[in-house]
């Protein structure tokens, strides 16, 4: 007689578990679309299987259990829709920031060019900054300007010195000359093309920045007072007379704004002078009087003429009490331009004056400065717009992967990179300040002359300063350090500068 062994307890438990699991699976199949039909053709079973809901629900449960809380979108307010403000908007929107731009003036595309007539020269630094968005944006800007790397000095109507004839290196692109209104129009067109729902708030005058609340107070064109915010970052791109900069009232923050000597007027010319090389920038000394004329071609058909004179000098061009004959008497080389139109523009304008700006740090709390609001040289170096465009890209880069809690660290990084550049450009534009010895003055004159004539050829001298600024990406700081012998004080090294800025940063956590 054979006796059957009873299943051991573990085997019983496993059988019960497997049976229960099978029941649960069948129940789940039934609930999710399994339809059991009667047996046909032996033991064949027809089934309609719908497994997607099960897989989807399991996938969702995994995602929900593993995913992190979404990052907060950083809200940025840009005050000023000039070149640096608009490029900052491009770069910040590209990196996913929520951006609002406020500008006190109307849309430049709706204005006569005379209102923002002065011409700008975009060199390699500005081109590189614009191209950081994409090549298409640079092509949009380029289409509105005129490329030239030539520079002529007319001592008399018959004596011309070509001070710059363009680079012999075919890989070096010439400067792009265009009016500020055309540059801003191109950047605005690019914004609307890439972000159809994005709009700049024009005719919105910022009256005050409330740093402790991260808000801005503004007045619309119809006189309505509005408070916008709060924002995570407020960017001052509002020029030499920056409202944002003036709102930083911390005792550790220093700003120096200095009105430069001289006065100027800027006119647009829809025709070209017939007696000069219209493909070159030309500085024309007057045949009579003290006012000089600076012509820049901004297209194949016209250009910009800047008239400048010393401060307080009595001149018909600055007073506006002149005729077309008065202009030709002083500048016979301007024959060929529309003198009636030129006279009308000169009479319409009041003389303007340029200013320089210096700041010891470019941020305070969550407020940050770019372009002329942070540093300005009054057009002396020709690098104002280029350095402002670089500021915009560097700020966006510093904020690239930053979360809201780490914004101040990102702004400190920005100041560390750009404060030395602003200081160096100021030194290179104005030269040594203070009681400069005769020896240093003579050394500077000789160095400039050697660099101009030899330009580093045969191992003599170096490329001229303007070439280093406009045609290379060597930092302003490095250019300044290599010229320490021409200055009273040596330019501080990176470590010293960073420690100084870190100390200011810790003192200025808030701007009140």
């Amino acid at each position: 007689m054979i006796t059957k062994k009873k299943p051991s307890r573990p085997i019983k438990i496993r059988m019960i578990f497997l049976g229960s699991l099978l029941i649960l699976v069948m129940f789940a199949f039934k609930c999710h679309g399994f339809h059991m039909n009667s047996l046909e053709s032996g033991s064949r079973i027809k089934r309609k299987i719908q497994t997607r809901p099960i897989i989807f629900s399991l996938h969702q449960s995994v995602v929900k259990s593993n995913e992190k809380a979404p990052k907060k979108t950083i809200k940025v307010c840009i005050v000023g829709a000039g070149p640096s403000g608009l490029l900052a908007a491009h770069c910040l929107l590209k990196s996913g920031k929520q951006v609002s731009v406020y500008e006190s003036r109307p849309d430049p595309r709706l204005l006569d060019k005379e209102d923002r007539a002065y011409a700008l020269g975009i060199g390699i630094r500005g081109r590189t900054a614009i191209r950081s968005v994409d090549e298409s944006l640079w092509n949009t800007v380029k289409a509105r300007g005129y490329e030239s790397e030539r520079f002529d000095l007319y001592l008399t109507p018959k004596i011309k010195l070509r001070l710059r004839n363009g680079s012999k290196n075919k890989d070096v692109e010439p400067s792009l000359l265009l009016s500020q209104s055309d540059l801003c129009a191109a950047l605005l067109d690019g914004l609307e093309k890439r972000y159809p729902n994005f709009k700049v708030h024009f005719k919105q005058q910022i009256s005050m920045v409330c740093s402790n609340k991260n808000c801005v107070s503004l007045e619309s064109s119809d006189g309505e007072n509005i408070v916008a915010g709060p924002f995570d970052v407020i960017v001052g791109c509002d020029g030499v007379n920056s409202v944002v900069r003036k709102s930083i009232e911390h005792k550790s923050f220093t700003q120096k704004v200095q009105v430069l000597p001289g006065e100027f007027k800027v006119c647009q010319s829809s025709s070209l002078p017939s007696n000069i090389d219209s493909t070159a920038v030309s500085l024309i000394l007057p045949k009579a009087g003290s006012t000089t004329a600076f012509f820049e071609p901004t297209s194949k058909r016209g250009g910009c003429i800047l008239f400048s004179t010393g401060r307080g000098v009595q001149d018909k061009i600055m007073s506006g009490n002149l005729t077309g004959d008065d202009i030709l008497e002083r500048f016979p080389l301007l024959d060929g331009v529309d003198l009636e139109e030129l006279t009308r523009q000169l009479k319409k304008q009041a003389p303007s004056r340029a200013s320089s700006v210096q700041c010891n740090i470019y941020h305070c709390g969550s407020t940050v400065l770019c372009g002329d609001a942070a540093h300005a040289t009054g057009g002396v170096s020709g690098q104002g717009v280029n350095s402002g465009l670089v500021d915009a890209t560097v700020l966006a880069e510093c904020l690239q992967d930053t979360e809201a809690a780490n914004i101040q660290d990102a702004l400190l990084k920005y100041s560390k990179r750009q404060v030395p550049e602003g200081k160096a450009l100021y030194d290179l534009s104005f030269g040594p300040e203070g009681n400069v010895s005769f020896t240093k003055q003579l050394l500077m004159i000789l160095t400039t002359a050697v660099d101009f004539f030899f330009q580093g050829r045969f191992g003599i001298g170096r490329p001229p300063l303007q070439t280093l600024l406009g045609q290379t990406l060597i930092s302003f700081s490095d250019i300044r350090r290599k010229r320490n012998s021409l200055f009273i004080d040596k330019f501080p090294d990176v470590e010293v500068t960073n420690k100084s800025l870190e100390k200011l940063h810790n003192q200025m956590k808030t701007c009140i």
Side-chain angles (χ1 to χ4, degrees), residues 16-31:
I16 294 171
F17 174 76
L18 290 173
S20 301
L21 182 61
L22 179 60
I23 292 171
L24 287 173
V25 170
M26 291 178 67
F27 179 75
F29 283 178
K30 184 177 180 180
C31 292

Side-chain angles (χ1 to χ4, degrees), residues 8-50:
S8 62
R9 184 174 296 273
I11 294 177
K12 283 185 176 180
I13 293 174
R14 283 198 295 269
M15 291 175 65
I16 294 171
F17 174 76
L18 290 173
S20 301
L21 182 61
L22 179 60
I23 292 171
L24 287 173
V25 170
M26 291 178 67
F27 179 75
F29 283 178
K30 184 177 180 180
C31 292
H32 288 280
F34 275 74
H35 301 284
M36 304 292 291
N37 293 337
S38 58
L39 294 176
E40 294 180 359
S41 303
S43 60
R44 184 178 178 185
I45 299 176
K46 292 183 179 180
R47 295 173 180 174
K48 183 180 179 182
I49 304 175
Q50 297 177 347

Side-chain angles (χ1 to χ4, degrees), residues 125 179 230 238 241 321 340-341 353 362 394 408 411 422 466 510:
R125 300 174 197 271
S179 68
D238 48 341
N241 298 312
N321 183 24
E340 183 179 346
E341 177 63 19
R353 300 182 65 187
Y362 293 169
V394 172
Q408 291 199 6
L411 299 186
Q466 198 59 37
T510 58

